[in-house]
Amino acid sequence: TPHMAQEDPWSFQGSFYFTVVLISTVGYGDLAPETLPGKFAAVLISLVGIPLLLSFTVPLSRAFVEHLTVEVRRRYITRAVQSAMEAVEMMRSGSHVVTGGNCGNDLDKRMPNVHGVGLSHE
């Protein structure tokens, strides 16, 4: 049976469900207050609950984005340094000199350019 098929939709579970849906701004519309005091209470709950929920989710989102940014930068720098080191090794060993039409192509992919260090994938 559907969750709203019970006789009293405003039981504790139903009220909790309504409050979570209300303050998360999802607003399914399957449960709504019908009386004027109930509508007034819903407005008050939303005026307090939405900022309260945001006060918890915004710092969590900010921390997640900062962590992700640090990880992406770390991987980018690691890859760039590795590519530059490979290019230096190739120059030292003389393996960048290739006979044929595609001279130095492997070395060019590892050298710094306008797109970044070691990120040229042409």
Side-chain angles (χ1 to χ4, degrees), residues 13-74:
Q13 292 88 358
S15 299
F16 184 78
Y17 165 78
F18 172 75
T19 304
V20 169
V21 169
L22 180 67
I23 66 172
S24 65
T25 67
V26 172
Y28 289 124
D30 55 349
L31 183 61
E34 295 177 1
T35 64
L36 188 59
K39 292 176 183 181
F40 184 69
V43 169
L44 287 177
I45 290 170
S46 66
L47 288 175
V48 172
I50 293 171
L52 185 63
L53 182 66
L54 287 174
S55 72
F56 291 109
T57 58
V58 167
L60 289 174
S61 299
R62 184 173 291 130
F64 176 72
V65 168
E66 286 175 5
H67 174 74
L68 192 62
T69 303
V70 166
E71 186 65 23
V72 167
R73 284 183 180 161
R74 184 186 65 79

Side-chain angles (χ1 to χ4, degrees), residues 50-119:
I50 293 171
L52 185 63
L53 182 66
L54 287 174
S55 72
F56 291 109
T57 58
V58 167
L60 289 174
S61 299
R62 184 173 291 130
F64 176 72
V65 168
E66 286 175 5
H67 174 74
L68 192 62
T69 303
V70 166
E71 186 65 23
V72 167
R73 284 183 180 161
R74 184 186 65 79
R75 289 183 184 199
Y76 170 79
I77 291 170
T78 301
R79 183 174 175 195
V81 168
Q82 286 174 344
S83 293
M85 289 173 64
E86 288 174 3
V88 168
E89 257 326 291
M90 289 176 73
M91 291 176 86
R92 282 186 186 163
S93 67
S95 64
H96 67 283
V97 179
V98 179
T99 57
N102 203 2
C103 182
N105 188 29
D106 201 30
L107 178 62
D108 292 339
K109 289 182 182 177
R110 290 175 172 80
M111 292 303 291
N113 60 31
V114 293
H115 303 293
V117 179
L119 297 177

